[in-house]
């Protein structure tokens, strides 16, 4: 039986922090990368990423994750990952050039490292969204309000506990998300464009949060926001005040892997001096703003960790036999820059799925590195690249 043990420790930054704890300055940082098959553009980007990670470790410290895998009493693998903290706000380039030893070197100076909440730095958020290619979002949110009514005919007594479920068709929460996130740089898929590409049996009763993110890939979105926001009246409040309990359960899922990258689950009361309807609308508007901030913060934090440390990319390989797959995995582990781990998830009928740990490298950069490789006389051909995945096949 294989056993996986994970230990984590922290070490402090080596540079002095600013007085307010938000930024620190790193005088020098550098990174280098090998130039493979004359691909200087890829080597430049890898060297720049390495220099940024160097600056992050110097300016904001890092976390060390030790991953040990054993099988019985035998050590199978012992790996240490470095996850840098913070984010780079600005820098100047001191050197950016090819070296005589066949590498590309990037030296940075006057690097300003942010040590606070990335989501609060609008300029840094926009820069990260540009780097990610302006990810597109699609929202499928059930917004409902339970409105208490008398349900009586003339001359009848009011029916105790009578209520009806009313759908808020105006999409207040969704519009709140859009209005708060698009000015920063997020892009939303038009529901009309996505119409017909996704089928939900009954949006009013289906547990939207349990839907598979992959089912929304055809919408053109990179991430889908799924879940519900429901307002219910609260009885026994102060005279002249209508109060609702707002229950929110939302998930952000990647459409290429189905992975949940952010989630919010909360309950809160919202009051109005007018009516239950007004309290419900007020609650929905409040939810839109708060959810935009919470979801964005979680996604940005995930991206920051990936760039400053080791992120995961799902690599799908079309390969004829298992021996060739093992040769490919060895090539991937030893011959591709910034690959820190390769875990075989599955292999079935000529198709393998690998989980690849990358140090600050995007799927696009991984694809660029793989396209120059060959395994057992077969060329690695990249067939698809998404936000979190790469697909390749081995051809002669």
């Amino acid at each position: 039986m294989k056993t996986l043990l994970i230990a984590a420790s922290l070490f402090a930054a080596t540079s002095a922090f600013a007085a307010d704890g938000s930024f620190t300055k790193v005088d020098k940082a550098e990174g280098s990368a090998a130039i493979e098959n004359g691909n200087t553009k890829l080597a430049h980007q890898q060297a720049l990423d390495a220099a940024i990670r160097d600056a992050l470790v110097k300016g904001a410290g890092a976390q060390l994750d030790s991953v040990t895998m054993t099988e019985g009493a035998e050590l199978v693998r012992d790996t240490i990952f470095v996850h840098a903290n913070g984010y780079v706000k600005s820098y100047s380039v001191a050197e950016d050039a090819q070296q005589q030893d066949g590498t590309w070197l990037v030296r940075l100076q006057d690097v300003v490292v942010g040590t606070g909440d990335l989501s609060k730095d609008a300029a840094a958020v926009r820069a990260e969204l540009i780097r990610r290619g302006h990810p597109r979002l699609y929202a499928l949110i059930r917004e409902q309000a339970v409105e208490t009514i008398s349900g009586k005919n003339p001359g009848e007594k009011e029916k105790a506990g009578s209520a009806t479920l009313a759908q808020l068709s105006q999409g207040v929460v969704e519009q709140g998300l859009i209005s708060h996130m698009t000015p920063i740089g997020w892009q939303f898929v038009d529901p009309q464009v996505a119409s017909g590409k996704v089928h939900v049996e009954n949006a009013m009763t289906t547990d939207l949060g349990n839907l598979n993110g992959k089912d929304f890939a055809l919408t053109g979105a990179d991430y889908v926001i799924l879940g519900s926001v429901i307002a219910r009246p609260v009885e026994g409040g102060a005279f002249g005040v209508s109060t609702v309990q707002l229950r929110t359960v939302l998930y952000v899922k990647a459409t290429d892997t189905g992975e949940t990258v952010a989630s919010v689950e909360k309950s809160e009361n919202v009051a109005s001096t007018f009516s239950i309807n007004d309290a419900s609308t007020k609650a929905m508007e409040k939810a839109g703003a708060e959810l935009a901030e919470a979801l964005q913060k979680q996604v940005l934090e995930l991206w920051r960790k990936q760039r400053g440390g080791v992120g995961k990319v799902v690599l799908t390989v079309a390969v004829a036999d298992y021996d060739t797959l093992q040769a490919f995995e060895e090539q991937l582990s030893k011959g591709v820059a910034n690959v820190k781990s390769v875990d075989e998830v599955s292999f079935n009928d000529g198709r393998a799925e690998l989980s690849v740990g990358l140090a600050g490298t995007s799927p696009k950069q991984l694809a660029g590195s793989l396209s120059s490789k060959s395994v057992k006389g077969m060329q690695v051909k990249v067939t698809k690249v998404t936000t979190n995945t790469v697909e390749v096949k081995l051809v002669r």
Side-chain angles (χ1 to χ4, degrees):
M1 176 183 292
K2 291 184 178 180
T3 304
L4 183 66
L5 304 175
I6 300 178
S9 61
L10 297 174
F11 66 91
T14 56
S15 300
F17 286 90
D20 62 359
S22 296
F23 298 99
T24 186
K25 185 177 179 181
V26 176
D27 294 331
K28 297 179 181 179
E30 69 176 53
S32 63
I35 301 172
E36 299 184 34
N37 296 324
N39 194 340
T40 55
K41 183 178 180 180
L42 178 62
H44 156 76
Q45 187 60 54
Q46 291 174 337
L48 176 60
D49 287 346
I52 287 175
R53 289 196 302 278
D54 183 37
L56 289 172
V57 171
K58 290 177 178 176
Q63 176 176 319
L64 299 181
D65 291 336
S66 176
V67 180
T68 302
M69 180 175 287
T70 62
E71 187 168 3
E74 181 181 355
L75 177 66
V76 177
R77 190 179 73 212
D78 192 5
T79 308
I80 294 179
F81 298 127
V82 177
H83 300 274
N85 301 317
Y87 63 93
V88 169
K89 182 174 178 63
S90 63
Y91 58 82
S92 297
V93 178
E95 184 176 356
D96 185 6
Q98 182 174 342
Q99 306 298 299
Q100 292 183 349
D101 62 357
T103 63
W104 194 279
L105 176 67
V106 172
R107 285 198 176 98
L108 306 179
Q109 62 186 15
D110 301 327
V111 186
V112 177
V113 176
T115 58
D117 185 353
L118 171 59
S119 66
K120 300 294 185 183
D121 190 332
V125 171
R126 291 190 184 95
E128 184 63 20
L129 289 172
I130 291 172
R131 180 178 179 272
R132 293 276 172 171
H134 292 288
R136 293 156 295 178
L137 304 173
Y138 176 67
L140 183 59
I141 305 171
R142 180 166 66 248
E143 302 180 29
Q144 292 177 335
V146 176
E147 178 185 295
T148 301
I149 61 173
S150 64
K152 64 178 180 178
N153 294 320
E156 291 182 340
K157 291 184 178 180
E158 182 171 313
K159 297 177 181 179
S162 178
T164 186
L165 190 64
Q167 176 76 10
L168 295 184
S169 59
Q170 62 265 43
V172 178
V173 175
E174 182 178 340
Q175 287 304 314
L177 290 172
I178 293 173
S179 64
H180 283 84
M181 297 179 75
T182 51
I184 301 174
W186 297 91
Q187 296 182 359
F188 281 77
V189 173
D190 188 333
Q192 296 299 322
V193 174
S195 178
K197 297 179 180 179
V198 176
H199 177 69
V200 177
E201 192 66 32
N202 189 332
M204 288 290 289
T205 59
T206 300
D207 184 355
L208 300 178
N210 279 334
L211 296 179
N212 193 328
K214 291 182 179 181
D215 293 338
F216 296 83
L218 293 178
T219 64
D222 300 291
Y223 298 95
V224 57
I225 304 174
L226 295 167
S228 61
V229 181
I230 300 175
R232 300 179 182 276
V234 176
E235 298 180 357
F239 179 76
V241 177
S242 297
T243 304
V244 297
Q245 182 190 60
L246 189 70
R247 174 66 175 165
T248 300
V249 180
L250 287 185
Y251 302 91
V252 179
K253 300 185 179 184
T255 60
D256 50 8
T257 64
E259 178 188 12
T260 298
V261 298
S263 65
V264 173
E265 185 171 346
K266 60 183 293 188
S267 295
E268 61 178 324
N269 289 350
V270 179
S272 170
T273 55
F274 293 99
S275 65
I276 289 294
N277 267 346
D278 183 70
S280 296
T281 302
K282 182 179 177 181
M284 296 291 184
E285 291 173 346
K286 183 173 184 288
E290 292 179 347
L291 290 171
E293 180 178 353
L295 295 176
Q296 174 179 262
K297 182 177 181 178
Q298 291 183 49
V299 174
L300 289 170
E301 177 64 12
L302 174 65
W303 291 349
R304 184 198 65 75
K305 288 182 177 179
Q306 290 175 346
R307 191 172 192 190
V310 178
K312 291 289 185 181
V313 172
V314 175
L315 176 60
T316 302
V317 187
V319 56
D321 56 78
Y322 194 68
D323 286 342
T324 305
L325 173 62
Q326 289 186 311
F328 174 80
E329 290 178 6
E330 184 176 3
Q331 172 81 289
L332 185 61
S333 298
K334 299 179 179 180
V336 178
N338 296 331
V339 170
K340 300 302 180 182
S341 65
V342 178
D343 294 308
E344 187 179 307
V345 178
S346 64
F347 176 65
N348 183 37
D349 196 23
R351 187 178 178 86
E353 181 177 309
L354 309 177
S355 178
V356 181
L358 292 174
T361 301
S362 69
K364 183 177 180 180
Q365 293 169 14
L366 174 62
S369 295
L370 289 174
S371 64
S372 64
K373 302 297 182 183
S374 61
V375 178
K376 288 191 170 184
M378 291 179 285
Q379 182 69 29
V380 178
K381 183 177 181 180
V382 177
T383 57
K384 185 177 181 179
V385 181
T386 69
T387 307
N388 304 289
T389 70
V390 176
E391 292 185 12
V392 302
K393 63 180 180 180
L394 275 60
V395 296
R396 292 196 181 277

